[in-house]
Amino acid sequence: MLGVEPGELGALIRPDSKEGAHFRDTMKGGFTGGDEYQKHFLPRDYLATYYSFDGSPSPEAEMLKFNLECLHKTFGPGGLQGDTLIDIGSGPTIYQVLAACDSFQDITLSDFTDRNREELEKWLKKEPGAYDWTPAVKFACELEGNSGRWEEKEEKLRAVVKRVLKCDVHLGNPLAPAVLPPADCVLTLLAMECACCSLDAYRAALCNLASLLKPGGHLVTTVTLRLSSYMVGKREFSCVALEKEEVEQAVLDAGFDIEQLLHSPQSYSVTNAANNGVCFIVARKKPGP
Ligand code: SAH
């Protein structure tokens, strides 16, 4: 998978991104911004489309496995560890912190919308109707070589998630009004390209995420490439279509050294989200001036 160029995979045309500095205006125009997420992003529709496991193979299940494998390699034995980790744009999902919950003692989940944060709380508090993450948890445990540990793993995760906060990646402090001490790790999967309407907005938002980290702290991120929109139920949400090189340069310009960049042709079902590959990045914030 390493270094695969997805150039031939599809004839997706990168939408015109001339909006540049006018991204705020664009958000009011065609782009689905925060208001649309708050009003129309239904966690159950999102989960049903991208995280339902009926056992049959699907591009969505493969994408989940890809992420769990990358995260296992990153946070597993000999990998990243520390005290605090902040996950940005968690949505209604918890799979992304399964690997990290054994190497960080204090995890913050966050999302823009009330509904997504409620869905997370439901799972954390084992409330009736909480989403069933068992298949993903079992897969994560299999990667660790101990598939029988899944219940213990769920409890461990529930114990180390200390808070679920509102976040907006467009704010200088994305977790405002909360103020957290600088973290050892910031994680963000499949969220920044949805929250940002232009490359400029993406670059600025990455700098906001960098401000949450200690010098020398790590950013771990998966970004879908060349995705201009995706479906959640009957609703279509916009994204900024990014090229691998743009993501890479944005990470470098936000003050990071890239330690790992995995470029894979992994893509969703075209009717759900017509991306063209994905990249997984581990980067380290430069250790001070
Ligand atoms: N990380 C999850 C969810 C991704 S869906 C996963 O891996 O599946 C995209 C998420 O971005 C949604 O939950 C949405 O609420 C969130 N989002 C949208 N705008 C945002 C913003 N301005 N700041 C932070 N999150 C935002």
Side-chain angles (χ1 to χ4, degrees):
M1 288 232 180
L2 250 176
V4 175
E5 295 296 329
E8 314 89 84
L9 286 177
L12 288 173
I13 295 162
R14 190 166 179 273
D16 188 47
S17 60
K18 275 187 216 136
E19 47 273 43
H22 305 300
F23 69 88
R24 289 278 168 202
D25 294 338
T26 314
M27 286 177 87
K28 282 183 210 136
F31 194 86
T32 48
D35 286 352
E36 281 82 3
Y37 274 92
Q38 177 66 16
K39 280 190 204 136
H40 302 303
F41 187 97
L42 299 181
R44 285 291 161 156
D45 285 350
Y46 181 73
L47 291 166
T49 307
Y50 297 99
Y51 298 100
S52 65
F53 320 94
D54 59 4
S56 57
S58 69
E60 283 65 34
E62 289 307 307
M63 185 70 89
L64 174 65
K65 283 187 190 168
F66 169 82
N67 278 313
L68 289 173
E69 280 163 359
C70 289
L71 293 165
H72 170 66
K73 284 181 199 141
T74 302
F75 293 107
L80 298 184
Q81 50 178 313
D83 293 328
T84 54
L85 178 144
I86 303 170
D87 180 43
I88 294 289
S90 305
T93 74
I94 56 93
Y95 76 91
Q96 67 276 19
V97 281
L98 285 168
C101 77
D102 288 308
S103 34
F104 288 82
Q105 305 149 27
D106 179 306
I107 293 183
T108 301
L109 300 179
S110 71
D111 198 73
F112 188 86
T113 82
D114 296 342
R115 283 195 194 94
N116 282 335
R117 295 194 306 280
E118 283 160 18
E119 193 68 43
L120 290 171
E121 295 281 7
K122 239 192 251 178
W123 186 84
L124 290 167
K125 294 178 181 155
K126 289 185 167 183
E127 285 172 8
Y131 195 68
D132 180 12
W133 284 102
T134 313
V137 180
K138 285 184 176 163
F139 185 79
C141 290
E142 262 171 48
L143 293 172
E144 291 169 11
N146 191 352
S147 53
R149 201 200 145 212
W150 67 273
E151 281 170 300
E152 185 192 326
K153 180 92 170 166
E154 289 195 344
E155 287 316 306
K156 181 73 190 285
L157 180 54
R158 288 187 173 102
V160 297
V161 173
K162 304 296 184 192
R163 58 200 79 74
V164 179
L165 299 178
K166 157 102 183 168
C167 85
D168 182 351
V169 299
H170 304 303
L171 301 178
N173 168 15
L175 299 173
V179 179
L180 293 190
D184 294 303
C185 187
V186 165
L187 185 65
T188 184
L189 274 81
L190 311 169
M192 294 285 278
E193 62 276 42
C194 306
C196 299
C197 67
S198 66
L199 178 57
D200 283 353
Y202 176 72
R203 291 171 56 86
L206 263 186
C207 293
N208 297 337
L209 297 202
S211 76
L212 297 170
L213 278 169
K214 287 179 188 167
H218 283 86
L219 171 75
V220 177
T221 185
T222 300
V223 185
T224 44
L225 300 173
R226 298 189 190 177
L227 179 64
S228 50
S229 72
Y230 67 110
M231 298 305 294
V232 178
K234 292 193 175 65
R235 293 269 169 186
E236 188 171 10
F237 287 85
S238 330
C239 298
V240 55
L242 295 166
E243 299 290 338
K244 184 196 81 168
E245 292 73 17
E246 291 171 332
V247 174
E248 203 174 346
Q249 195 59 50
V251 171
L252 294 172
D253 291 346
F256 292 94
D257 294 316
I258 293 181
E259 292 188 339
Q260 196 198 333
L261 192 156
L262 186 62
H263 183 192
S264 154
Q266 199 73 58
S267 296
Y268 289 109
S269 304
V270 72
T271 45
N272 290 337
N275 66 310
N276 195 334
V278 65
C279 70
F280 176 80
I281 294 178
V282 180
R284 184 164 185 257
K285 183 171 167 175
K286 287 187 193 297

